[in-house]
Amino acid sequence: MIEIDAFLYDTIRPVTWHDNGLRLLDQRQLPEQEVYLYINSTQALHEAIKNMLVRGAPAIGIAAAYGAVLAAKEASADDSMPFTEGFHHRLELLASSRPTAVNLFNALKAAKQVSDPVNNLLSWANSWFEADIIANKKMSLQAAQYLKGQVNVLTHCNAGALATGGYGTALGVIKTGVQLGLIGQIYAGETRPWNQGARLTLWEFQQDNIPVSLVADSAAASLMNKGLIDWVIVGADSICMNGDIANKIGTYSLAVLAKHHGVKFMVVAPTTTFDLNAASADDIIVEQRSTDEILPTAYKQDSISALNPAFDLTPAELISVIVTEKGVIESPDASKIQALINQH
Ligand code: MRU
């Protein structure tokens, strides 16, 4: 595996614990303003995840890990019910904030298993946070073997530092590729309706002076047709046991287009994004967000409606490679995923 002494582009930390609470970079306000807010209750964190102040599967998982610290504090000060009942009740509140990113549920499940939670949860949450950044860097080095020459890449949504503890999954691969001189042009899809690509991915690359070209989501087919893309590189909100994935709406379209044009398709996600309970994409709950996010106010009337699924499902057969911190799976299927999970 390729090794590097220091990662040049590791500058952003969207979720960090401080004495005065959980500090979140308010991603709704980027790129106009860089505002940090402090969260001190499970109710406030529930709202912050639901309203996408913090977003991206691994970052939501990390926020939930620290949320468990808040849950334990609140439960120990709550005389109305036994500690364990109050603690679990608050973890359930956090679990109900968004349904698709499995990192949220994996973090909360792991938090429940920590013994003596009041005393031990903070150091456990710190390890969860640090492990995520280490995983991202490891994945980026493993993925580098697939970037041959000056590779042109297209990414979707924001799977960067902003969506993780730091450095990023898909964007981590691209950043390491840039550092190693392996990347030609980077294209970022806008990612309507929330514009994570236009607002967040561009901001993130701007922090490190990495050149990037914004493209409308609907430009992907013609870019591929012109031979301008070698790899599509994305993150995931959930990886099923057969290699199907859930990711931001529009990912599936890109995977279909990539297959048609002979473009390679890479999914980069830590093993905290595996859903051990999902045999295939049929088992994934796709979040439906408010139609207010897409329907112009002028059309708020009974005869006009909208659909706003936040994610879509990409079958394993459209994925060239899944990169995790435990190893890389080419042409993923159930037996390869199981073998990866079984290894320690
Ligand atoms: O709705 P969001 O912004 O939380 O969706 C984020 C994505 O879909 C990301 O691609 C995914 O979580 C991977 S982030 C490393």
Side-chain angles (χ1 to χ4, degrees):
M1 193 172 71
I2 296 166
E3 289 193 17
I4 51 184
D5 291 338
F7 291 83
L8 290 182
Y9 305 118
D10 182 18
T11 45
I12 299 163
R13 293 286 181 270
V15 185
T16 44
W17 181 264
H18 297 255
D19 289 342
N20 43 347
L22 181 59
R23 192 188 80 156
L24 300 179
L25 171 54
D26 184 350
Q27 303 197 23
R28 297 167 309 181
Q29 300 199 48
L30 289 172
E32 285 81 15
Q33 295 191 76
E34 187 176 339
V35 175
Y36 293 86
L37 300 174
Y38 286 87
I39 301 285
N40 281 301
S41 71
T42 47
Q43 182 62 42
L45 183 56
H46 167 86
E47 300 294 329
I49 296 172
K50 190 175 169 168
N51 298 324
M52 292 171 68
L53 197 145
V54 56
R55 36 67 50 200
I60 292 172
I62 292 163
Y66 286 117
V69 178
L70 297 172
K73 267 194 194 174
E74 288 171 13
S76 59
D78 181 353
D79 296 334
S80 70
M81 59 182 93
F83 173 80
T84 305
E85 196 185 327
F87 180 49
H88 289 181
H89 171 72
R90 287 168 173 88
L91 295 185
E92 275 153 33
L93 172 69
L94 294 173
S96 67
S97 50
R98 287 186 82 189
T100 306
V102 75
N103 307 57
L104 170 65
F105 310 107
N106 286 341
L108 294 174
K109 192 175 162 200
K112 260 190 191 174
Q113 261 121 56
V114 174
S115 63
D116 187 6
V118 175
N119 289 315
N120 294 333
L121 267 173
L122 181 56
S123 65
W124 167 81
N126 283 333
S127 324
W128 187 275
F129 165 68
E130 281 153 21
D132 185 68
I133 300 171
I134 292 168
N136 289 341
K137 292 179 174 170
K138 214 167 167 185
M139 292 191 292
S140 79
L141 292 171
Q142 299 198 78
Q145 63 180 299
Y146 294 96
L147 309 177
K148 302 238 162 66
Q150 287 277 299
V151 172
N152 295 334
V153 298
L154 170 65
T155 189
H156 189 61
C157 192
N158 170 269
L162 289 171
T164 63
Y167 204 61
T169 59
L171 296 196
V173 170
I174 296 172
K175 289 172 185 177
T176 292
V178 170
Q179 181 169 344
L180 295 170
L182 303 172
I183 302 285
Q185 186 65 49
I186 304 166
Y187 297 99
E190 280 182 305
T191 319
R192 279 185 48 74
W194 227 73
N195 287 321
Q196 286 94 333
R199 295 190 307 105
L200 306 178
T201 293
L202 262 58
W203 182 83
E204 188 165 332
F205 281 134
Q206 187 191 46
Q207 303 313 297
D208 288 315
N209 289 315
I210 296 176
V212 56
S213 286
L214 180 66
V215 291
D217 298 325
S218 45
S222 71
L223 292 183
M224 289 188 198
N225 186 249
K226 289 191 176 104
L228 293 176
I229 314 287
D230 300 303
W231 277 93
V232 175
I233 307 182
V234 295
D237 285 82
S238 182
I239 299 180
C240 308
M241 289 304 96
N242 68 344
D244 294 348
I245 67 144
N247 194 45
K248 181 51 53 189
I249 189 81
T251 302
Y252 173 49
S253 321
L254 293 177
V256 172
L257 290 173
K259 187 76 159 185
H260 179 77
H261 292 95
V263 168
K264 300 283 191 187
F265 193 90
M266 181 188 290
V267 175
V268 189
T271 46
T272 49
T273 306
F274 280 91
D275 187 343
L276 303 184
N277 298 317
S280 75
D282 292 343
D283 297 322
I284 301 280
I285 298 171
V286 170
E287 177 183 14
Q288 303 292 324
R289 291 189 66 85
S290 165
T291 54
D292 292 350
E293 291 181 351
I294 57 170
L295 197 59
T297 359
Y299 298 121
K300 299 263 161 70
Q301 59 195 67
D302 287 348
S303 62
I304 295 180
S305 61
L307 290 177
N308 187 16
F311 301 96
D312 61 23
L313 306 167
T314 298
E317 71 210 49
L318 297 180
I319 299 171
S320 313
V321 56
I322 295 178
V323 179
T324 77
E325 81 282 12
K326 283 192 172 183
V328 170
I329 304 174
E330 293 180 8
S331 306
D333 63 22
S335 63
K336 292 178 190 172
I337 301 267
Q338 198 55 55
L340 184 109
I341 286 170
N342 290 345
Q343 108 199 6
H344 294 287

